[in-house]
Amino acid sequence: MMVGLKDVARVAGVSASTVSRVLTGSPLVNDETRARVQQAIDALDYRPNRVARRLRRDTARASLLGLIVPDIQNPFFAELVRGVESVAQRHGYMVFLGNSDEDAAKEKRYIDLMRSESVDGLLLPASSDIAETVSLLARQGLPIVCVDRRLPKATLDTVVADNVSGAHAAVDHLLRIGHRRIGFVGGRPEISTSRERLEGYRLALDEHGVAFDPSLVREGDSRQASGRALTDELLRMTDPPTALLVGNNLMTLGALEAIHVLRLRIPDDVAIVGYDDMSWALAFDPPLTAVRQPSFEIGARAAELLLQRIADPKRTASLVMLQPELVVRQSCGVGKEGAIRARARRHLRAAGGGRSPSAATAPA
């Protein structure tokens, strides 16, 4: 049986309005009465109805932030959620979390549900599929912050990492140690992060005088299976790439699976750089070179920006761009000579040598 406000009032021997004042922290209640009401709340295990409590408060705020992520299995987004929650909790807000699975229809349903729950604001890495919906809500006055992904046609607060710079640093490193045929395994081409990482890839090639070869580019759906299939395609080419930049951490896992199945050595047969550093990158043999994004900070800064928007709805929209970091480990090799030796081994195998069973390298 649900315990209500009147039950607490009856046990405490006070009016329902006094219980309400205790719950909202009103200074009009003396300490003795406050303690008596709190004892009744504890004895009855009373849990205030959030919506009803909001209606009784002077403020129109629910102290609830909505956050929609595209894939909660992705460690990047899991860490981003932690960043949002840390700021929200510090300011007395709770987080209503939804996982869209990169599905625009599901994303819209979560938005509708969060609006019905009267969230004070919304954070989301929005896809272009729902750009019009998000823009309309913002014009209607719902505070919104785009996080990780941009909506180019919408004037909204946005917190992202510099994807062009991150991909550029990765490819520049591979070029400096001698690679010239560098494959790119990217995520969904319609999202800003994928487009920007491809832009950084092409920019680095151009700066080193290496012609862009579209046959070395594959674009998938940002999932592990996609990374595995696309990497397999690239490495089965007649003249395969000697190095790979892979667009996110789940696709990197798929790429490593494909390399293992093809019984290739890292970095002797193919060098690899993952986008998004993973806590277990050192557990691979060899340890994985990766572009590390400040995922926790992205979430935290986005939450701070949303709280500022809630407090001041008319302020000018802000763009916060954080810098990623290339973490160089052993999965790229040590220099040009290694890349030349790898190419020589490829040509020997293509001439009939075949792959040696002893060449397999699996994730540790």
Side-chain angles (χ1 to χ4, degrees):
M1 191 174 184
M2 281 283 275
V3 175
L5 196 74
K6 291 181 179 178
D7 298 307
V8 175
R10 177 176 49 77
V11 171
V14 297
S15 67
S17 59
T18 299
V19 175
S20 179
R21 291 190 188 98
V22 171
L23 292 172
T24 56
S26 169
L28 300 177
V29 183
N30 64 48
D31 292 342
E32 180 184 346
T33 301
R34 189 183 305 279
R36 195 162 71 249
V37 170
Q38 188 59 54
Q39 286 175 359
I41 289 171
D42 294 341
L44 295 172
D45 196 25
Y46 171 65
R47 295 290 181 268
N49 179 285
R50 186 182 59 78
V51 176
R53 182 176 177 182
R54 181 186 177 190
L55 292 172
R56 290 192 299 268
R57 294 172 65 178
D58 294 333
T59 177
R61 293 178 185 168
S63 297
L64 187 65
L65 304 182
L67 170 61
I68 303 173
V69 297
D71 187 356
I72 196 62
Q73 288 184 309
N74 188 323
F76 169 82
F77 289 113
E79 191 67 9
L80 185 151
V81 170
R82 289 187 63 248
V84 169
E85 189 178 43
S86 70
V87 171
Q89 289 276 337
R90 195 162 63 244
H91 289 84
Y93 284 77
M94 299 297 288
V95 177
F96 183 166
L97 177 64
N99 175 52
S100 72
D101 284 322
E102 299 281 11
D103 182 329
K106 191 174 179 181
E107 203 166 3
K108 287 179 181 178
R109 288 197 298 272
Y110 264 121
I111 290 174
D112 289 342
L113 177 60
M114 290 177 178
R115 289 184 69 202
S116 70
E117 287 293 316
S118 302
V119 295
D120 296 304
L122 190 62
L123 303 113
L124 73 168
S127 66
S128 57
D129 300 326
I130 65 161
E132 289 186 13
T133 299
V134 172
S135 297
L136 176 61
L137 291 175
R139 289 196 299 272
Q140 291 175 345
L142 179 65
I144 296 176
V145 174
C146 289
V147 56
D148 180 55
R149 301 174 183 175
R150 307 190 206 203
L151 286 180
K153 295 181 181 179
T155 306
L156 297 170
D157 292 313
T158 302
V159 181
V160 294
D162 189 342
N163 292 290
V164 175
S165 172
H168 176 276
V171 177
D172 179 75
H173 173 69
L174 291 168
L175 290 162
R176 287 180 184 278
I177 62 175
H179 293 280
R180 289 299 178 267
R181 285 188 62 76
I182 301 171
F184 177 79
V185 180
R188 295 170 60 202
E190 67 270 22
I191 63 176
S192 62
T193 50
S194 299
R195 295 194 301 269
E196 290 164 3
R197 290 167 195 175
L198 180 58
E199 182 184 345
Y201 164 86
R202 296 188 65 163
L203 181 62
L205 292 176
D206 184 63
E207 287 179 355
H208 284 262
V210 177
F212 172 69
D213 182 352
S215 74
L216 294 176
V217 173
R218 296 291 187 278
E219 293 175 310
D221 64 3
S222 305
R223 304 294 182 101
Q224 185 169 340
S226 175
R228 180 173 61 247
L230 299 178
T231 299
D232 184 80
E233 283 182 24
L234 285 171
L235 295 180
R236 289 184 185 274
M237 294 173 66
T238 302
D239 186 13
T242 64
L244 297 171
L245 170 61
V246 188
N248 72 9
N249 48 28
L250 292 183
M251 295 188 84
T252 299
L253 288 175
L256 292 169
E257 286 182 56
I259 292 168
H260 172 55
V261 169
L262 291 170
R263 305 176 76 83
L264 297 174
R265 291 182 185 273
I266 301 172
D268 294 345
D269 297 315
V270 61
I272 183 168
V273 180
Y275 210 102
D276 293 333
D277 197 18
M278 297 173 275
S279 58
W280 21 270
L282 290 171
F284 291 109
D285 183 18
L288 182 68
T289 296
V291 179
R292 177 182 293 162
Q293 295 196 88
S295 48
F296 184 94
E297 187 179 359
I298 289 172
R301 294 289 294 275
E304 289 169 355
L305 211 53
L306 183 58
L307 294 176
Q308 292 171 22
R309 172 64 56 190
I310 291 168
D312 183 7
K314 296 188 181 300
R315 68 174 183 76
T316 304
S318 300
L319 169 64
V320 177
M321 183 178 291
L322 302 176
Q323 289 303 310
E325 173 192 5
L326 179 66
V327 182
V328 177
R329 301 189 181 99
Q330 286 75 51
S331 67
C332 294
V334 293
K336 184 175 181 180
E337 294 76 12
I340 292 171
R341 287 197 300 272
R343 283 195 290 273
R345 279 192 294 274
R346 288 179 188 279
H347 289 306
L348 284 172
R349 285 200 295 270
R355 290 191 176 94
S356 165
S358 63
T361 300

